[in-house]
């Protein structure tokens, strides 16, 4: 057993490394769109071809999240995190240094996305293992800030590098960052102690997916992604096209909202620690998410300033539940299945995230924003019913 004093000193370092690994992964996954203008100009790509390149890492991610989660369950977090992130960094660096055709670039990004998916479950699992239930929510909330941090790093670094040196040279940044963080993970992360299996030695715990609890949790979390991506996808164009804002003003406004969203993730995790539940706060946030999306719709139809204020609230509230569902999925699955459960959780959320913009875009058409925001409010209403709060209350211990 690891001494308590060592755990106390090292767990924050391990949390920091898990956050850094996830941020490095996100800098690649969500950084490619920042290279699209230079990439299209340099290679003469159509918008559809550029879109395929942007989508490739996310496709790879979706295909391997659960597989990497299972590997983390079996082989440990440090190995899986370092292996996947390092492989992703090498692949991205190859795309930066070698002459590549469009099909090769798509394949490399697909494989890099598939490799970097290892970080999602493994970094969550290592944080789960080193923090007790009374502080795990805040720790996981801190880890969830990795996405806006990673996007911010990419936004600051990639466009100027691409303008000055070309899109391939800019790719070296996320590639080298991933490799460097993978080395740090391999050198400094310690896997948490694994509890002794209950019952007879060698008996594999039964799958938690035989019961409906985790299915309901994954479904509720996927439903709650819809308002989040309704706001992130359409708030910029809404502010510019409907409210007459400049693109620069809309960009700064939404960047500030991202900071508030990151703080909200930490706050909701702290809240869940204090009340001793992940799913009760998650259900309450679903109520708030539905209400604020209806408020956005009402503001669009009546008072413009109300719509803007409601958009701020929606952008913050709609991301606040992410860490709660992720943490609950691991806690309800149990130690032996935690990685797979977190992988399944992320898979459902990513599918919902990918489907939301095109489907709501069909609803919006040219001007039907209020209708689209009303439609987006239906999904958290369904999540209120689907969130399995009673199963968490009945869980032993």
């Amino acid at each position: 057993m690891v001494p308590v004093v060592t755990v106390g000193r090292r767990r924050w370092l391990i949390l920091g490394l898990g956050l850094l690994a996830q941020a490095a992964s996100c800098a690649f996954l969500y950084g490619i769109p920042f290279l699209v203008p230079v990439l299209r100009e340099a290679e003469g790509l159509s918008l559809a071809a550029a879109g395929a390149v942007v989508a490739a890492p996310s496709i790879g991610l979706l295909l391997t999240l659960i597989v990497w989660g299972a590997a983390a369950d079996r082989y440990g977090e440090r190995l899986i995190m370092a292996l996947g992130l390092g492989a992703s960094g090498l692949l991205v660096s190859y795309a930066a240094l070698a002459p590549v055709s469009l099909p090769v670039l798509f394949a490399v990004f697909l494989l890099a996305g598939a490799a970097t998916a290892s970080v999602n479950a493994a970094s969550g699992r290592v944080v789960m293992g080193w923090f007790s239930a009374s502080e795990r929510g805040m720790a996981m909330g801190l880890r969830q800030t990795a996405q806006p941090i990673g996007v911010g790093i990419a936004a600051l670094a990639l466009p100027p590098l691409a303008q000055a040196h070309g899109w391939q040279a800019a790719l070296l940044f996320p590639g080298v960052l991933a490799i460097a963080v993978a080395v740090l993970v391999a050198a400094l992360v310690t896997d948490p102690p694994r509890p002794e299996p209950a019952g007879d030695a060698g008996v594999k715990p039964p799958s938690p997916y035989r019961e409906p609890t985790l299915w309901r949790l994954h479904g509720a979390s996927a439903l709650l992604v819809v308002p989040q991506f309704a706001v992130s996808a359409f708030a910029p164009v809404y502010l510019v096209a409907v409210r007459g804002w400049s693109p620069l003003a809309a960009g700064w406004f939404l960047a500030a909202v991202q900071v508030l969203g990151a703080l909200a993730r930490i706050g909701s995790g702290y809240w869940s620690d204090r009340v001793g539940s992940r799913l009760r706060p998650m259900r309450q946030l679903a109520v708030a998410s539905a209400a604020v999306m209806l408020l956005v719709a009402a503001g669009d139809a009546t008072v413009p300033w109300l719509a803007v204020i409601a958009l701020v609230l929606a952008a913050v509230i709609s991301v606040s539940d992410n860490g709660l569902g992720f943490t609950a999925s691991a806690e309800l699955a149990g130690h032996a299945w935690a990685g797979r459960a977190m992988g399944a959780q992320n898979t459902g959320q990513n599918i919902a995230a990918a489907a939301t913009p095109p489907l709501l875009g069909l609803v919006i058409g040219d001007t039907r924003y209020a209708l689209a925001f009303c439609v987006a409010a239906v999904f958290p209403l369904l999540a209120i019913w689907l969130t399995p709060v009673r199963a968490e209350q009945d869980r032993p211990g």
Side-chain angles (χ1 to χ4, degrees):
M1 186 68 179
V2 179
V4 174
V5 64
T6 304
V7 172
R9 285 200 301 264
R10 289 189 60 84
R11 60 184 177 155
W12 295 104
L13 171 64
I14 292 170
L15 170 60
L17 289 168
L19 189 155
L20 185 60
Q22 190 71 57
S25 173
C26 290
F28 161 61
L29 284 169
Y30 305 114
I32 302 303
F34 295 111
L35 300 178
V36 166
V38 176
L39 176 63
R40 290 189 66 197
E41 182 180 351
E43 306 298 329
L45 298 183
S46 67
L47 188 59
V53 170
V54 169
S58 296
I59 295 171
L61 181 91
L62 275 175
L63 294 175
T64 57
L65 278 166
I66 297 175
V67 174
W68 279 118
D73 286 336
R74 181 167 183 178
Y75 299 110
E77 298 82 1
R78 179 175 68 91
L79 172 64
I80 297 306
M81 206 177 347
L83 181 64
L85 190 59
S88 174
L90 290 172
L91 286 162
V92 175
S93 298
Y94 168 78
L97 297 172
V100 289
S101 63
L102 180 63
V104 171
L105 184 64
F106 179 89
V108 170
F109 280 179
L110 183 77
L111 292 172
T116 201
S118 71
V119 178
N120 287 51
S123 66
R125 203 179 191 285
V126 77
V127 172
M128 291 281 299
W130 281 119
F131 285 82
S132 67
S134 64
E135 55 189 4
R136 192 178 291 151
M138 188 181 70
M140 291 294 283
L142 283 164
R143 177 200 167 275
Q144 292 295 107
T145 65
Q147 180 175 341
I149 290 172
V151 174
I153 290 170
L156 291 173
L158 295 186
L161 287 172
Q163 287 290 341
H165 305 290
W167 66 270
Q168 279 191 283
L171 271 180
L172 267 179
F173 178 83
V176 171
L177 177 63
I179 293 170
V181 176
V183 171
L184 287 175
V185 167
L188 299 175
V189 167
T190 304
D191 288 346
R194 298 202 167 208
E196 293 295 328
D200 297 332
V203 175
K204 182 180 178 181
S207 170
Y209 287 97
R210 295 178 181 179
E211 301 294 330
T213 301
L214 280 174
W215 295 106
R216 290 181 60 185
L217 174 57
H218 298 333
S221 296
L223 291 169
L224 288 170
V225 163
V226 174
Q228 176 185 340
F229 279 82
V231 172
S232 64
F234 295 110
V237 67
Y238 174 79
L239 291 172
V240 172
V242 178
R243 296 303 165 203
W245 290 34
S246 71
L248 181 61
W252 279 106
F253 174 79
L254 294 170
V257 169
Q258 284 289 315
V259 175
L260 294 176
L263 294 174
R265 296 177 195 213
I266 300 171
S268 64
Y270 180 81
W271 174 23
S272 76
D273 288 338
R274 299 285 68 78
V275 300
S277 170
R278 316 299 172 201
L279 299 186
R280 279 189 285 122
M282 180 174 158
R283 186 169 61 182
Q284 291 165 16
L285 287 169
V287 174
S289 184
V292 77
M293 292 307 296
L294 292 174
L295 188 62
V296 175
D300 176 64
T302 57
V303 186
W305 61 262
L306 178 61
V308 174
I309 293 174
L311 273 176
V312 175
L313 294 173
V316 173
I317 291 170
S318 65
V319 303
S320 299
D321 63 90
N322 287 1
L324 301 179
F326 194 65
T327 306
S329 66
E331 290 178 336
L332 291 171
H335 190 275
W337 284 81
R340 278 161 284 192
M342 287 188 281
Q345 173 81 359
N346 273 167
T347 299
Q349 289 178 309
N350 277 279
I351 291 172
T356 295
L359 293 179
L360 280 186
L362 292 175
V363 175
I364 292 171
D366 294 325
T367 59
R368 297 186 296 271
Y369 284 94
L371 176 61
F373 291 135
C374 284
V375 170
V378 172
F379 292 87
L381 286 173
L382 294 173
I384 296 169
W385 165 76
L386 197 58
T387 303
V389 174
R390 185 177 297 277
E392 184 186 53
Q393 294 169 342
D394 293 342
R395 182 166 56 97

